[in-house]
C-alpha cells in the first residue's frame, strides 16, 4: 500500500521545471504565503504551493484554480543542514508549485466541513485559554502548545530552554490529553444518566474531534484509535486485549499515511506501547505477591489496607 502511494507521489517529479495548471483544494492554513493543497482530479496528489497573494482571505477547504511552475524541493548543500526535500517527502508532498495565477473557484467544499469546524474550535479555545494574558507572551504560547498542540513561532529561545531541560515533550499533544478529554465527557454524560450505548459513541467522537483540533498528529491519532477500540470492545461486552488495540492503531495509522512509520513521533508513541504490552505481563507476575491473598487465612485477620 505504501509503495503504491510512493509511485503516485513520485510520478509528479517528472514535471519539475514545467508549467502546471489545475484545480486544487486548500487543505492547510496559509503561513507566510505557503500552504498545502491536493488535486481535485487526484486527491492523493499533495502539493506545496507558494501563493503570491499572501494577504488574501484564504480559508480551509476552498477550491482554487492554480497555474504556476513546478520546481524541485531545495537540496541541502552542506551536511547537518535542514533537508527540505526529505521533510516534504515524509509529509507526502509530491512537488512544490510556485503559483503565478490563482482563482477561487468555489468558496467552501462540503468535504472539509468537519476540519473547518475543528479549526474554528481551536481558534476559539486559543483565545479563551489566554484571556487576560499577552497573546504573544511566553505564557500564552506555552498554554496553547500544551493544550492545543500549537507550536510557538519565532520563539527560538523558549524552545531551546525546554529542549535543554528535557521537557520539550510538554508541547506534544499525546494520549494523555485525548484520554483526559474523553474521561471528562464520559463523567459528564454519566452524571446526566446516559447509558453505555449513548456515552461510549459520544466519547469516541469527541476524542477524534479533539485529535483533529490539535492537528491529528500520530500520538493523538494513536490514542483516539486505541480508545475507540477499547471502548467498542467494552460496549459489545468483548474481552479487552491491549495488544490487539495497539495492532489496530498501527494498521489504521499506516493505512492512512505510510510515511508515519519513519516519523519519530510515531516510533516513540507506539514503541512505548509495544514495550508495555511485552513487559507488562512479566512485571505484573513478578510483583503479584504484593496483592496475593491467602485463601486459607480468615479475612478478619487482614487490615483495611491489606483487603
Amino acid at each position: 500500500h505504501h509503495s503504491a502511494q510512493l509511485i503516485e507521489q513520485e510520478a509528479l517529479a517528472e514535471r519539475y521545471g514545467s508549467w502546471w495548471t489545475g484545480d486544487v483544494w486548500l487543505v492547510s492554513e496559509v503561513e507566510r504565503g505557503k500552504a498545502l493543497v491536493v488535486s481535485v482530479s487526484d486527491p492523493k496528489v499533495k502539493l506545496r504551493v507558494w501563493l503570491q497573494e499572501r494577504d488574501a482571505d484564504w480559508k480551509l477547504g476552498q477550491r482554487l484554480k492554480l497555474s504556476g511552475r513546478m520546481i524541485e524541493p531545495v537540496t541541502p548543500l552542506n551536511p547537518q543542514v535542514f533537508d527540505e526535500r526529505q521533510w516534504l517527502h515524509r509529509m507526502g508532498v509530491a512537488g512544490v508549485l510556485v503559483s503565478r495565477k490563482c482563482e477561487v473557484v468555489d468558496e467552501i467544499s462540503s468535504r472539509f466541513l468537519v476540519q473547518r469546524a475543528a479549526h474554528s474550535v481551536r481558534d476559539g479555545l486559543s483565545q479563551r485559554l489566554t484571556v487576560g494574558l499577552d497573546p504573544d507572551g511566553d505564557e500564552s504560547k506555552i498554554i496553547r502548545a500544551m493544550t492545543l498542540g500549537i507550536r510557538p513561532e519565532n520563539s527560538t529561545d523558549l524552545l531551546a530552554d525546554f529542549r535543554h531541560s528535557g521537557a520539550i515533550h510538554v508541547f506534544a499533544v499525546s494520549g494523555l490529553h485525548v484520554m483526559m478529554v474523553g474521561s471528562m465527557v464520559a463523567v459528564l454524560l454519566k452524571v446526566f444518566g446516559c447509558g453505555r450505548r449513548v456515552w461510549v459513541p459520544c466519547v469516541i467522537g469527541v476524542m477524534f474531534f479533539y485529535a483533529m483540533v490539535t492537528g491529528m498528529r500520530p500520538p493523538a491519532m494513536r490514542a483516539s484509535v486505541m480508545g475507540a477500540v477499547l471502548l467498542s470492545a467494552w460496549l459489545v461486552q468483548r474481552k479487552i486485549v491491549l495488544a490487539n488495540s495497539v495492532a489496530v492503531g498501527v494498521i489504521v495509522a499506516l493505512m492512512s499515511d505510510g510515511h508515519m512509520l519513519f516519523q519519530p513521533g510515531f516510533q516513540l508513541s507506539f514503541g512505548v506501547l509495544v514495550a508495555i504490552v511485552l513487559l507488562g505481563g512479566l512485571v505484573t507476575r513478578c510483583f503479584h505477591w504484593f496483592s496475593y491473598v491467602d485463601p486459607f487465612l480468615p479475612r478478619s485477620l487482614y487490615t483495611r489496607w491489606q483487603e
Side-chain angles (χ1 to χ4, degrees), residues 102-123:
C102 179
E103 298 178 1
V104 178
V105 178
D106 189 9
E107 276 301 318
I108 300 297
S109 175
S110 58
R111 60 176 291 182
F112 295 99
L113 291 179
V114 177
Q115 294 183 13
R116 282 190 53 79
H119 279 260
S120 300
V121 170
R122 185 185 65 179
D123 295 338

Side-chain angles (χ1 to χ4, degrees), residues 43 63 107 123 135 148 150-151 175 243 259 261 263 271 284 287 306:
R63 181 169 177 171
E107 276 301 318
D123 295 338
L148 302 175
I150 301 177
R151 299 279 295 187
H259 289 291
L261 183 62
Q263 297 177 4
T284 302
F287 293 93
Q306 290 175 317

Side-chain angles (χ1 to χ4, degrees), residues 20 22-29 35-49 58-66 103 105-112 115:
W20 188 90
D23 289 357
V24 298
W25 278 309
L26 188 64
V27 296
S28 73
E29 296 180 342
L36 293 178
V37 299
V38 294
S39 173
V40 174
S41 59
D42 188 0
K44 296 181 181 179
V45 175
K46 186 186 295 184
L47 300 172
R48 192 186 194 200
V49 180
W58 304 110
K59 297 179 181 179
L60 179 70
Q62 282 182 328
R63 181 169 177 171
L64 311 175
K65 186 176 184 60
L66 291 178
E103 298 178 1
V105 178
D106 189 9
E107 276 301 318
I108 300 297
S109 175
S110 58
R111 60 176 291 182
F112 295 99
Q115 294 183 13

Side-chain angles (χ1 to χ4, degrees), residues 152-183:
E153 298 182 2
N154 303 324
S155 300
T156 305
D157 295 338
L158 177 63
L159 292 176
D161 292 339
F162 275 86
R163 186 176 293 109
H164 294 157
S165 65
I168 191 65
H169 62 276
V170 301
F171 288 164
V173 175
S174 61
L176 176 63
H177 299 73
V178 175
M179 292 305 169
M180 286 178 62
V181 172
S183 299

Side-chain angles (χ1 to χ4, degrees), residues 206-271:
V206 168
M207 288 192 302
F208 276 103
F209 187 75
Y210 176 70
M212 293 184 64
V213 169
T214 59
M216 209 59 180
R217 292 178 174 83
M221 182 177 181
R222 181 264 305 164
S224 301
V225 173
M226 288 190 58
V229 173
L230 292 173
L231 291 175
S232 299
W234 188 54
L235 181 63
V236 298
Q237 298 182 352
R238 295 294 298 272
K239 182 180 179 180
I240 297 176
V241 181
L242 181 59
N244 292 346
S245 302
V246 175
V248 172
V250 172
I251 293 174
V252 172
L254 295 183
M255 288 296 291
S256 63
D257 184 6
H259 289 291
M260 284 189 180
L261 183 62
F262 307 96
Q263 297 177 4
F266 180 91
Q267 297 170 0
L268 293 173
S269 179
F270 281 98

Side-chain angles (χ1 to χ4, degrees), residues 67-86:
S67 296
R69 187 177 182 84
M70 191 73 65
I71 65 173
E72 188 176 358
V74 177
T75 302
L77 301 178
N78 298 303
Q80 306 303 325
V81 176
F82 174 70
D83 192 346
E84 183 182 14
R85 177 195 293 271
Q86 182 69 11

